[in-house]
């Protein structure tokens, strides 16, 4: 990692044998980082302009209160201070986890970034949508862990 920057923890290869989480979280990290810049510049106006179909984002206060969410009414959401990725982001600036979401009733990966004001921006994506990013290989092709594809022999 570069001096002054903390790299995000990686999820276990044993829990993700084909690398889906690692590849998906890399993309999610980039998306959350870009959204964080925009939110720090434009605040709630930017957040409210987001298309919920593009990316699920949650904006979380230092005390764990959900300030805004692109998928669910924030007022109906519980405190998020106990979420692993939120705790990590509050303490180190970045956090990442994968677990089942009771709110969305599906397994999600989460990436969180602490903003300049101490609040946290968290992005989430479902495992199935991550798999949809990978084109189906031709019959007989070999797909490697890094999603490179060798054609059939």
């Amino acid at each position: 990692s570069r001096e002054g920057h903390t790299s995000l923890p990686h999820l276990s290869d044993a829990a993700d044998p084909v690398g889906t989480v690692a590849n998906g979280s890399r993309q999610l990290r980039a998306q959350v980082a870009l959204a964080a810049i925009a939110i720090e510049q434009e605040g709630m106006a930017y957040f409210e302009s987001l298309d919920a179909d593009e990316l699920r984002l949650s904006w979380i206060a230092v005390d764990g209160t959900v300030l805004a969410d692109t998928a669910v009414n924030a007022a109906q959401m519980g405190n998020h201070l106990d979420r692993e990725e939120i705790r990590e982001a509050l303490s180190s600036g970045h956090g990442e986890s994968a677990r089942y979401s009771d709110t969305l009733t599906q397994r999600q990966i989460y990436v969180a970034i602490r903003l300049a004001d101490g609040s946290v921006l968290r992005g989430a994506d479902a495992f199935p949508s991550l798999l949809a990013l990978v084109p189906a290989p031709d019959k007989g092709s070999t797909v490697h862990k890094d999603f490179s594809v060798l054609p059939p022999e």
Side-chain angles (χ1 to χ4, degrees), residues 51-109:
D51 181 355
D53 293 335
E54 293 295 318
L55 173 66
R56 180 182 181 202
L57 290 174
S58 304
W59 193 358
I60 299 152
V62 175
D63 68 358
T65 302
V66 179
L67 303 170
D69 190 281
T70 58
V72 180
N73 181 345
Q76 297 175 340
M77 298 179 74
N79 189 288
H80 277 44
L81 202 53
D82 66 336
R83 306 301 201 281
E84 178 183 359
E85 70 280 1
I86 302 302
R87 286 191 323 265
E88 288 177 3
L90 288 169
S91 67
S92 71
H94 298 89
E96 188 171 321
S97 68
R99 68 175 176 283
Y100 184 80
S101 167
D102 290 328
T103 305
L104 298 179
T105 65
Q106 59 187 227
R107 192 154 167 78
Q108 300 272 303
I109 60 170

Side-chain angles (χ1 to χ4, degrees), residues 98-140:
R99 68 175 176 283
Y100 184 80
S101 167
D102 290 328
T103 305
L104 298 179
T105 65
Q106 59 187 227
R107 192 154 167 78
Q108 300 272 303
I109 60 170
Y110 298 94
V111 171
I113 298 174
R114 185 179 60 221
L115 303 179
D117 67 359
S119 65
V120 173
L121 181 65
R122 179 185 72 175
D125 204 354
F127 283 9
S129 64
L130 295 175
L131 291 174
L133 296 174
V134 182
D138 295 329
K139 186 175 182 177

